[in-house]
Amino acid sequence: MSYEPLPKAYEFREVEARWVHAWVTNQSFRADPQTSKPPFSIVIPPPNVTGQLHMGHALNNTLQDILCRYKRQRGFEVLWVPGTDHAGIATQNVVERQIAKEGLSRHDLGREKFLEKVWEWKQTYGDYIIRQLKRLGASCDWTRERFTMDEGLSRAVRLVFVQLYQEGLIYRGHRMINWCPRCMTALANIEVEGEDTAGRLYHIRYPLADGSGAVTVATTRPETMLGDTAVAVHPEDARYQHVIGKTVILPLMQRPIPVIADPYVDREFGTGALKITPGHDFNDFEIGSKHGLALIRVIGEDGIMTAEAGRYQGLDRYACRKKVVADLEKGGYLVAVQDHEHRVGHCYRCKSSVEPMLSLQWFVKTRPLADEAMAAVRDGRTRIIPEKWEKDYFQWLENIEDWCISRQLWWGHRIPAWYCAQCQGVTVAVEDPTACHSCGSTELHQDNDVLDTWFSSALWPFTTMGWPDKTPELKKFYPTSVLVTGFDILFFWVARMMMMGLHFMKDVPFRDVYVHALVRDAQGQKMSKSKGNVIDPLVMMDRYGTDALRFTLTAFAAQGRDIKLSEERIEGYRHFVNKIWNASRLVLMNIQGAVLLERIPERPTRLAHRWILSRFQWVLHEVETALENYHFNQYAQNLYQFFWHEYCDWYLEVIKPDLYGEDPETKVLAQTIAATLLKNLLVLLHPVMPFVTAELFQRFSGSAQILTQAAFPAKEPWRADAEAEKDMALLMDVITGLRNIRGEMNIAPGVRLKAVCLCATAAERDLLETNRQMLMDLARLSSVTVGFHGELSKPRLAAGTVSEGVEAYVILEGVLDYDSEAKRLEKEIGRIQKELEGTRKKLANEDFLRRAPADVVAKEKEKAERLGEKLGKLKANRDRVEALVREAAQG
């Protein structure tokens, strides 16, 4: 057969662009719900339309793609649904910043005009990340791309809201919520990120109204005292028994408030007396409700002090804190100030500190939904992998609170509730109503709020397949097979999808949840722009190619362990891509014009053939086991080891004499096995390295066959040959030992050496004799003498190595100038010692350790370790050469 020769270099940019275009144009990944093939389905965690591909996306989508491509090879009908999320707060913030450059706010434009701007922005930039996912090689069914605010999903969201409302699982009420003064919206509890913050604990004196003394309270937020309605102490605290039931005067506001007893108070914290501000603290609200206390709101939704704050009205909350502290000190109320680290809640989007406040919002009653979501994992309907994440899942659901789903934004699914101006009734409906359902009045106005982004995302697994319609896709592909996600959205998204899927589809949304870890920098630190340690996947793809990036992420994606990524590692795996290309080029050149065997003989005579075919059966088993159990790193590392170190470094080198020889039978057998294995290896590597493998497979197969349609290689158990593997392992060990002697003694590669091999058994001797030519070719020997211990003796002036019962020696007489080599080694030892001393001195310098960046210190430690290892090897070689010098002197 004639093959088009491969170029010397792999031009990944051209190849990747061509294959992306071909796959999308030909709809190569389109799923057919009518097929009889078993289903395998994934819905993509929808990235925000504001986004750019980052390393988390690159890892997440690479792992999904590996599973999808692998399952296609195994004969499954695969549906991978792509799409994007409207990302309410994030997208609205982006557009607000954009119009702010023109000196405008969304209120200047009005709701309708502002939303037009957001949709324009979405149309312009919304598909940007989709293009990046295609470039990453994601084999999604691009004909089924969805958006969380497209027409079908919007209809589904309304239907879900109405049904939950009618079932009493959605309600509107006044509750304490977390409020972001920057985004000007309510947040769900899990949207608040707690952060340990260096602050202060202020001890404030509250005088008793009867003049008999005072109660001192401790607080981290003195500005909220303006809204205090009580002071609380523990009912069993002996220090305060005499003040329970009395009245204190609130400093600065001069308002009388009661001293109450409540077991919630921690007697050990601060002074043991707690100021109660029901309007600005969740726990204080509960205490206030129990004791019938008034609720006073002194901080507004914009973070500015309200009229209830008296003379502090109009101040920013932090400016107010400074003013209040100054006035307390001036009035003699400030007893003490202590440094105090405490946890402060921040908005997960803009990072502003949140304000607890009482607000009228819409909520989902989650307890009934959460119980079913826990039961589904406990009884095995859904598995969470690694299992350690189950504990977090259960802990959150066991302590779940009602979910605040209303957001004071304009971008998002508007809440389908209308208020009547006549009877004040509420009409909740799927279609826009024309009249009030209670009194028939037409004076209706819709709720201004929108739904939490995660509300529509929670419906993603079934709404993307056409629910509420009974579509063929839902029948074939729901429940989905697996969700691949990061642990950071286990509660935001995964648990909520479980609740909604079980409630509306009466089945779990996915059978498996695979939770991957974070991608960190080489030192294990979280990547962030402020640290300057972000590795941009788009830059890496431009620099080293997509396959190199994907393989690097996969090779380090061990279950339960974060990935420590560096550009050097990506560059290293680019060499692997080049290795695959060069090996393919070698094989293609050597089968040019050949008529290959239709079938490889069941048990070839030559050891190397039996060995590589047996090892390939092992690889098939390992790949299948790894991918079926989500051990992505083992899948990648096993293929890397086999392809580079067994197939390329050993097998192709062993059979070169056959490929270049004149014996037609020997030649065609070597050609057939080399080509067959390479073609199968391209299939196995394809899920993680789709581009280079697709290009090479087409070169091997011709344009009629493309790799996306290739089947997973069939197992051939009869090829497993433990004896061949054992024999080949011994030969490889002997050859490696002889090669190492050459390298350690600094002997040029072109110098042919003489060797002597002393064997303990007849089997070892026969093995070496039968494979004498392999020994000579691969160890670059001019001759090799094989015999038994005692029959032959150890040669003079030789360096040896031991492999099981075989002692192999390289004769160095006439090859090595011992004196010169000893001097060279001493000189090199001196140089390395000096460099090592300098590095150790630097690491012993406390000033260097304190001032230098962590990555610089880590590199110096690595350098010291590397130099120490090298020094040890040099000294061992020197000792060996000195022993040879002594042996030569003895004659």
Side-chain angles (χ1 to χ4, degrees):
M1 184 174 176
S2 178
Y3 300 96
E4 183 184 344
L6 283 179
K8 283 188 176 182
Y10 172 51
E11 300 295 339
F12 64 81
R13 293 179 185 85
E14 183 272 327
V15 169
E16 290 173 9
R18 178 158 39 81
W19 278 105
V20 167
H21 181 264
W23 289 331
V24 174
T25 304
N26 299 330
Q27 297 183 4
S28 300
F29 312 118
R30 186 167 187 171
D32 179 6
Q34 306 299 340
T35 183
S36 60
K37 292 180 181 179
F40 180 85
S41 56
I42 292 180
V43 289
I44 202 169
N48 295 346
V49 291
T50 57
Q52 175 172 309
L53 194 73
H54 57 63
M55 274 302 172
H57 290 128
L59 171 65
N60 182 275
N61 288 284
T62 293
L63 300 184
Q64 290 177 83
D65 193 46
I66 288 170
L67 293 173
C68 288
R69 291 179 186 269
Y70 165 68
K71 287 295 182 178
R72 289 190 192 99
Q73 294 174 346
R74 299 312 300 259
F76 286 77
E77 188 64 23
V78 174
L79 172 62
W80 185 9
V81 180
T84 49
D85 195 305
H86 65 280
I89 294 177
T91 304
Q92 180 160 315
N93 283 348
V94 168
V95 178
E96 285 195 76
R97 285 196 296 270
Q98 190 180 57
I99 64 173
K101 294 174 183 175
E102 304 169 26
L104 299 171
S105 72
R106 62 178 164 124
H107 300 286
D108 294 328
L109 294 178
R111 186 170 193 139
E112 188 176 336
K113 290 290 184 184
F114 176 75
L115 289 178
E116 286 177 10
K117 288 279 188 186
V118 183
W119 277 108
E120 285 174 13
W121 190 92
K122 190 266 175 187
Q123 295 304 321
T124 304
Y125 300 104
D127 65 344
Y128 179 56
I129 198 163
I130 292 295
R131 293 198 301 271
Q132 294 173 343
L133 289 172
K134 289 175 180 176
R135 185 183 171 194
L136 186 67
S139 60
C140 298
D141 183 345
W142 298 108
T143 67
R144 287 185 166 87
E145 183 184 334
R146 303 303 298 268
F147 175 55
T148 50
M149 282 181 62
D150 65 27
E151 188 176 342
L153 268 70
S154 294
R155 174 170 159 254
V157 166
R158 276 199 171 193
L159 193 65
V160 165
F161 185 96
V162 172
Q163 184 174 326
L164 290 175
Y165 178 78
Q166 291 171 347
E167 293 172 356
L169 293 174
I170 280 183
Y171 65 93
R172 189 175 187 235
H174 285 91
R175 287 175 62 102
M176 285 295 290
I177 52 96
N178 290 291
W179 181 269
C180 176
R182 161 63 184 81
C183 298
M184 290 290 284
T185 183
L187 300 172
N189 289 348
I190 58 171
E191 293 173 326
V192 177
E193 297 177 342
E195 185 178 314
D196 291 332
T197 305
R200 292 187 172 182
L201 191 63
Y202 300 88
H203 293 249
I204 304 168
R205 182 174 168 274
Y206 285 49
L208 285 160
D210 62 9
S212 62
V215 177
T216 300
V217 303
T219 180
T220 58
R221 302 193 65 202
E223 68 277 13
T224 62
M225 69 173 291
L226 305 174
D228 285 358
T229 53
V231 168
V233 296
H234 195 280
E236 297 174 5
D237 193 333
R239 294 172 296 175
Y240 296 113
Q241 292 298 309
H242 66 291
V243 298
I244 295 173
K246 288 190 175 185
T247 300
V248 294
I249 302 300
L250 179 63
L252 306 183
M253 301 300 284
Q254 302 307 310
R255 185 170 63 241
I257 57 176
V259 179
I260 61 174
D262 195 282
Y264 168 78
V265 178
D266 181 358
R267 285 178 280 185
E268 304 303 318
F269 178 77
T271 63
L274 183 69
K275 69 183 208 62
I276 305 299
T277 319
H280 295 284
D281 185 274
F282 284 93
N283 296 316
D284 289 7
F285 176 79
E286 296 299 327
I287 294 172
S289 298
K290 189 196 305 184
H291 293 272
L293 300 175
L295 185 148
I296 301 172
R297 204 163 101 176
V298 294
I299 302 175
E301 293 177 348
D302 54 2
I304 303 299
M305 307 306 289
T306 68
E308 297 279 11
R311 66 179 184 270
Y312 302 96
Q313 179 182 1
L315 288 176
D316 170 81
R317 53 185 169 159
Y318 295 116
C320 179
R321 178 180 297 179
K322 291 180 181 178
K323 178 66 173 165
V324 163
V325 170
D327 288 350
L328 286 171
E329 187 171 21
K330 185 178 178 181
Y333 298 111
L334 190 63
V335 177
V337 180
Q338 299 172 333
D339 289 336
H340 177 70
E341 189 174 271
H342 60 122
R343 203 155 185 81
V344 177
H346 292 80
C347 172
Y348 80 119
R349 281 298 180 194
C350 73
K351 309 307 177 186
S352 299
S353 56
V354 299
E355 282 295 338
M357 61 177 61
L358 187 70
S359 183
L360 181 60
Q361 302 287 344
W362 288 91
F363 296 87
V364 173
K365 195 178 292 183
T366 51
R367 184 73 274 152
L369 301 172
D371 289 342
E372 184 58 28
M374 287 189 287
V377 173
R378 287 197 172 105
D379 64 24
R381 279 175 285 165
T382 292
R383 294 190 305 161
I384 298 178
I385 305 157
E387 196 176 327
K388 71 170 188 172
W389 292 111
E390 281 189 10
K391 182 181 177 183
D392 296 66
Y393 175 84
F394 288 133
Q395 186 174 9
W396 184 69
L397 286 173
E398 284 163 358
N399 297 286
I400 197 169
E401 297 179 4
D402 285 357
W403 173 15
C404 178
I405 55 171
S406 46
R407 298 291 180 270
Q408 288 62 54
L409 306 170
W410 288 353
W411 173 245
H413 294 280
R414 196 162 175 184
I415 290 175
W418 286 260
Y419 305 109
C420 178
Q422 292 297 322
C423 72
Q424 312 306 313
V426 180
T427 298
V428 174
V430 176
E431 304 296 336
D432 291 10
T434 55
C436 173
H437 287 187
S438 298
C439 71
S441 170
T442 57
E443 292 185 59
L444 298 175
H445 69 276
Q446 189 176 357
D447 195 308
N448 284 319
D449 292 351
V450 300
L451 288 164
D452 177 11
T453 297
W454 299 102
F455 188 89
S456 52
S457 298
L459 317 178
W460 188 249
F462 53 94
T463 54
T464 51
M465 295 187 196
W467 187 91
D469 298 330
K470 294 181 179 179
T471 63
E473 286 79 6
L474 275 173
K475 184 178 179 182
K476 177 79 174 180
F477 295 110
Y478 189 94
T480 62
S481 306
V482 61
L483 175 76
V484 179
T485 186
F487 65 84
D488 52 334
I489 53 174
L490 192 59
F491 314 130
F492 281 103
W493 192 43
V494 178
R496 287 165 172 171
M497 282 190 289
M498 287 287 285
M499 291 190 285
M500 294 300 188
L502 286 160
H503 192 73
F504 288 95
M505 294 297 296
K506 308 307 176 188
D507 202 349
V508 294
F510 19 72
R511 296 301 183 200
D512 287 347
V513 177
Y514 176 73
V515 183
H516 61 73
L518 284 176
V519 183
R520 298 181 178 272
D521 70 9
Q523 281 69 52
Q525 296 184 52
K526 190 173 180 178
M527 291 186 190
S528 70
K529 290 180 181 177
S530 61
K531 292 179 182 176
N533 64 345
V534 172
I535 301 175
D536 187 334
L538 300 172
V539 173
M540 295 300 101
M541 288 191 285
D542 282 338
R543 197 168 289 167
Y544 303 112
T546 301
D547 288 328
L549 173 66
R550 287 172 56 120
F551 197 89
T552 307
L553 290 170
T554 307
F556 289 96
Q559 285 188 11
R561 283 212 312 267
D562 288 344
I563 294 172
K564 292 183 180 180
L565 187 66
S566 67
E567 185 171 344
E568 290 76 15
R569 283 176 169 167
I570 301 169
E571 183 179 15
Y573 283 117
R574 182 194 61 179
H575 299 319
F576 183 43
V577 178
N578 291 338
K579 187 76 172 179
I580 295 168
W581 185 265
N582 291 333
S584 301
R585 189 165 178 269
L586 170 69
V587 174
L588 275 173
M589 285 192 300
N590 278 283
I591 63 173
Q592 190 68 244
V595 179
L596 302 181
L597 300 176
E598 290 185 9
R599 194 174 185 283
I600 298 169
E602 193 165 310
R603 187 173 172 81
T605 304
R606 187 160 188 191
L607 172 63
H609 294 330
R610 297 199 309 277
W611 166 73
I612 199 69
L613 290 168
S614 180
R615 292 297 297 155
F616 183 69
Q617 290 306 303
W618 172 83
V619 165
L620 281 180
H621 172 74
E622 289 299 310
V623 165
E624 182 180 10
T625 302
L627 291 182
E628 293 294 339
N629 292 285
Y630 307 107
H631 292 297
F632 296 98
N633 63 313
Q634 292 178 17
Y635 155 69
Q637 289 165 7
N638 285 331
L639 279 174
Y640 177 90
Q641 169 68 25
F642 180 82
F643 191 97
W644 192 311
H645 298 298
E646 296 185 62
Y647 179 75
C648 292
D649 285 357
W650 288 99
Y651 182 69
L652 291 182
E653 292 301 317
V654 169
I655 66 168
K656 275 182 180 177
D658 297 350
L659 295 174
Y660 300 138
E662 300 300 323
D663 184 326
E665 288 188 11
T666 304
K667 185 171 189 171
V668 75
L669 180 58
Q671 289 172 326
T672 300
I673 295 176
T676 302
L677 284 175
L678 181 56
K679 197 171 175 181
N680 283 334
L681 283 167
L682 293 176
V683 175
L684 297 185
L685 283 161
H686 178 68
V688 65
M689 291 176 144
F691 294 108
V692 69
T693 55
E695 183 73 6
L696 291 169
F697 191 86
Q698 190 178 53
R699 301 293 184 113
F700 274 96
S701 307
S703 58
Q705 190 178 13
I706 60 173
L707 189 46
T708 54
Q709 299 165 351
F712 192 82
K715 288 182 181 177
E716 298 178 316
W718 63 87
R719 294 208 185 277
D721 191 331
E723 184 181 351
E725 291 193 34
K726 181 183 176 185
D727 287 348
M728 191 68 184
L730 178 57
L731 284 170
M732 291 161 65
D733 203 27
V734 171
I735 292 166
T736 300
L738 295 173
R739 285 173 170 175
N740 288 342
I741 291 170
R742 179 188 292 275
E744 290 163 0
M745 294 300 178
N746 202 33
I747 300 169
V751 176
R752 291 276 179 173
L753 302 172
K754 294 179 182 179
V756 174
C757 295
L758 308 181
C759 304
T761 67
E764 291 169 348
R765 184 197 62 185
D766 293 346
L767 177 66
L768 267 58
E769 284 288 3
T770 304
N771 294 278
R772 172 186 292 274
Q773 195 58 49
M774 184 199 301
L775 279 172
M776 293 179 65
D777 290 343
L778 298 186
R780 300 190 64 79
L781 303 175
S782 59
S783 68
V784 58
T785 304
V786 180
F788 289 117
H789 292 284
E791 196 176 83
L792 295 174
S793 57
K794 173 191 168 185
R796 289 185 68 257
L797 302 175
T801 180
V802 178
S803 303
E804 293 187 17
V806 177
E807 291 180 16
Y809 294 94
V810 173
I811 298 172
L812 299 173
E813 189 171 11
V815 174
L816 192 67
D817 182 337
Y818 309 124
D819 290 331
S820 297
E821 180 62 11
K823 289 176 183 176
R824 184 191 72 81
L825 287 169
E826 281 294 350
K827 185 177 180 181
E828 183 68 2
I829 287 169
R831 185 183 71 80
I832 295 298
Q833 276 181 329
K834 186 175 181 181
E835 191 174 355
L836 180 59
E837 285 169 8
T839 304
R840 285 175 173 168
K841 188 176 180 181
K842 188 181 287 187
L843 288 170
N845 186 328
E846 292 293 335
D847 193 49
F848 167 76
L849 295 175
R850 187 174 60 256
R851 292 170 179 258
D855 61 326
V856 173
V857 174
K859 283 180 181 177
E860 288 297 318
K861 288 180 179 178
E862 288 173 13
K863 182 181 176 182
E865 188 176 341
R866 189 174 65 251
L867 289 171
E869 289 176 2
K870 187 173 182 179
L871 186 62
K873 288 179 181 178
L874 286 170
K875 287 181 176 179
N877 289 343
R878 177 197 61 191
D879 294 344
R880 184 184 289 182
V881 170
E882 287 178 348
L884 289 169
V885 170
R886 288 193 296 272
E887 188 177 348
Q890 290 169 3

